[in-house]
Amino acid sequence: MELAEGLGRTIDLSEAALAHLVRAVDRSGEARRQGFTSTTAWLKKHLGMRPGRAKERLVLARQLERLPLVDKLMASSELSYGYAATIADAVCRTNDADTAAAESLLLGLKEQDCSAGQVARAAQRIHEVISERDGTDSPPSEARRPFTRSWIEKAKSLDGSSWVKMFLTPEDTAVFAQVLEPLAKPTGVGDDRDHGQRLANALMSVLSQGHRRSPVTIITTIETLEGDDAPGRMPDGTPVPAHRVRQIALNGGVSALVLGPGGHPLYLGRTTRFATPHQRRVLQALYATCAVSGCDIPSNLCEIHHTGGWKLGSPTDNDKLAPACAFHNRWIEENPHRVHTTHDATGRYLIHCLPTWDARNRPGHSPSDRAEPQKGDCRPEDP
């Protein structure tokens, strides 16, 4: 990893030098004099770049003069090519005053350890604000319709999932943002969900109320809860994968109707399985946030995690419970070998989500289990 990171910094320095050379070629017009239709065409032909890469490098080359801080940091190996290209793309259609303000803001986000993707989304928001200020924004066709009330349309697909489209009034938009945006923040450096995925997870967490059961029922067998691969189903017949059925039983956001031999109902998720309101208040007093290290989702918006895992008949006692956000509650149950749980000085649980090689080398794992890390092991959830 150290060698790769060092080589990456060297490549970034090469990209900084290349950007200045490309700018010189672009300004001179030499590419056209040699028969190329554009500087981009020359980059594709003689540097073997695909159209997207050629365009990205040309934009960076043209914008560096307007981005003195980016130019300086990139040349001194303090700013990677990815961040530099993202910022250059963000300002290629802004005036000099807005460019200077955007450069300072976006570099500030980088200093706060925001990813290049997060910086790109902030840049998009800057464009939206500028367009709204200057009256040049072009809202979607749906937004131009004279709606005065919020509405939602849902179209169900063949596999049981849905496409959702909505329009919210300014007042409802404010409520939507106030409730969901705090829950849609990345849960840590290993959270590779984009903002849309985090927002959807936040919406479902709020709709299911975390610890409270919703009216939705999943029909399954006791064998599936014990590890069988037989899928469950929704009341309308939509299949639900076995691993998801077990996760639903753990989260408690949906009731599980368990069928015994012959399809006879055994029980419909009992409330004793879930933490009581009094227990939740105790846990909220003990924990300010999700118990997973680095996650700042407030505990009052978390689900309840059974630290020793849950199975039919297991107790729901406070000393075995900890708050976990919807994302981490599911991740922990799907990756038990990559979870390390400890207690802090006050007796609270502290849960660490480990990269694969850390999990293999934890105490209790035999040497035969230890292996070299594979591609993608640096994130809590491999693609």
Side-chain angles (χ1 to χ4, degrees):
M1 288 176 68
E2 291 177 356
L3 288 172
E5 291 166 4
L7 179 58
R9 286 189 291 270
T10 301
I11 293 173
D12 287 335
L13 286 174
S14 299
E15 289 284 359
L18 178 62
H20 283 272
L21 294 173
V22 171
R23 181 173 65 185
V25 171
D26 186 57
R27 283 184 168 181
S28 70
E30 185 62 27
R32 284 185 176 273
R33 285 195 289 272
Q34 293 196 19
F36 293 99
T37 58
S38 65
T39 304
T40 301
W42 165 70
L43 288 170
K44 290 191 292 183
K45 173 66 175 178
H46 283 284
L47 278 77
M49 295 183 185
R50 290 176 291 179
R53 292 180 179 271
K55 180 181 177 182
E56 185 177 71
R57 281 162 176 79
L58 182 58
V59 168
L60 177 62
R62 288 176 174 175
Q63 297 303 320
L64 273 183
E65 190 173 27
R66 304 173 66 221
L67 297 167
L69 291 176
V70 170
D71 193 4
K72 179 181 178 181
L73 291 172
M74 194 178 180
S76 61
S77 193
E78 296 178 63
L79 186 70
S80 71
Y81 167 78
Y83 281 105
T86 299
I87 296 172
D89 182 68
V91 303
C92 65
R93 293 174 296 278
T94 60
N95 61 36
D96 289 344
D98 289 334
T99 294
E103 179 186 35
S104 177
L105 175 62
L106 297 176
L107 284 174
L109 291 177
K110 187 267 179 186
E111 290 302 313
Q112 296 174 33
D113 290 330
C114 290
S115 67
Q118 292 170 316
V119 171
R121 288 191 289 275
Q124 178 60 38
R125 181 57 183 152
I126 289 174
H127 278 292
E128 293 170 355
V129 170
I130 292 174
S131 296
E132 184 176 356
R133 180 198 68 191
D134 297 343
T136 58
D137 56 324
S138 178
S141 57
E142 292 287 357
R144 291 196 290 268
R145 294 167 61 184
F147 295 122
T148 58
R149 298 180 180 178
S150 299
W151 54 263
I152 297 177
E153 291 182 358
K154 181 175 72 71
K156 193 171 183 179
S157 62
L158 295 177
D159 64 354
S161 54
S162 298
W163 287 97
V164 179
K165 179 170 67 174
M166 69 171 66
F167 172 86
L168 300 178
T169 63
E171 297 80 7
D172 290 345
T173 298
V175 173
F176 186 90
Q178 183 177 0
V179 173
L180 295 183
E181 289 294 346
L183 297 176
K185 296 178 180 178
T187 58
V189 295
D191 187 353
D192 58 0
R193 299 171 297 166
D194 60 30
H195 182 262
Q197 292 169 326
R198 296 196 305 271
L199 196 62
N201 292 156
L203 177 62
M204 295 314 300
S205 179
V206 170
L207 290 178
S208 67
Q209 295 293 300
H211 66 297
R212 301 175 188 170
R213 292 179 297 169
S214 74
V216 179
T217 298
I218 300 294
I219 301 171
T220 186
T221 65
I222 194 168
E223 288 79 13
T224 296
L225 291 185
E226 292 175 344
D228 192 77
D229 291 333
R233 61 180 174 86
M234 304 282 283
D236 64 0
T238 302
V240 181
H243 73 276
R244 183 69 185 119
V245 170
R246 288 187 286 271
Q247 185 62 49
I248 286 169
L250 284 160
N251 285 345
V254 180
S255 296
L257 175 58
V258 181
L259 304 179
H264 298 294
L266 294 182
Y267 77 99
L268 178 62
R270 300 176 181 175
T271 55
T272 53
R273 144 77 184 96
F274 309 109
T276 67
H278 294 292
Q279 287 176 308
R280 287 189 64 86
R281 283 197 291 271
V282 171
L283 292 172
Q284 289 170 21
L286 290 173
Y287 298 84
T289 64
C290 170
V292 174
S293 177
C295 181
D296 58 1
I297 299 298
S299 60
N300 65 309
L301 297 173
C302 288
E303 298 174 352
I304 299 302
H305 168 61
H306 288 62
T307 56
W310 177 81
K311 59 183 179 180
L312 293 177
S314 64
T316 302
D317 299 328
N318 260 55
D319 61 350
K320 300 295 184 183
L321 304 178
C325 67
F327 171 75
H328 278 126
N329 199 15
R330 179 180 300 183
W331 191 92
I332 290 168
E333 299 303 335
E334 292 177 350
N335 302 273
H337 62 293
R338 295 168 66 180
V339 175
H340 182 49
T341 303
T342 60
H343 286 86
D344 65 12
T346 64
R348 293 176 298 185
Y349 288 102
L350 187 60
I351 302 171
H352 298 270
C353 298
L354 303 175
T356 301
W357 64 86
D358 282 353
R360 290 178 183 141
N361 289 279
R362 278 172 45 199
H365 284 263
S366 65
S368 61
D369 293 333
R370 300 176 185 174
E372 293 299 319
Q374 302 298 311
K375 182 179 180 181
D377 280 352
C378 59
R379 292 175 291 193
E381 188 172 49
D382 296 337

